[in-house]
Amino acid sequence: VGTLFKFTPATTQSAAVESVLFSFDDSAQSGGQPQSDLIQATDGNLYGTTTAGGAVGYGTIFKF
């Protein structure tokens, strides 16, 4: 359970926009309960960890 989202602040021409990029669901594929801050690596991807889900239920490391 958790959400990765993008927030675009308001400008003089438009209102602020929140976009859901990914929803965690505690499954083996996505994990759940995101725990750490996101880290942007030199490859441009964002990496983080979860405390639930994964192959044996102990969490995952994810890349977005």
Side-chain angles (χ1 to χ4, degrees):
V1 179
T3 304
L4 179 62
F5 64 93
K6 175 182 176 181
F7 181 78
T8 305
T11 66
T12 54
Q13 291 87 18
S14 64
V17 176
E18 180 182 309
S19 304
V20 173
L21 300 177
F22 188 79
S23 293
F24 296 90
D25 62 7
D26 288 347
S27 70
Q29 290 78 27
S30 74
Q33 302 174 15
Q35 191 64 31
S36 63
D37 293 335
L38 293 175
I39 297 171
Q40 186 170 19
T42 56
D43 63 5
N45 291 307
L46 297 173
Y47 293 86
T49 60
T50 68
T51 59
V56 293
Y58 294 125
T60 61
I61 297 172
F62 64 88
K63 172 178 84 171
F64 187 82

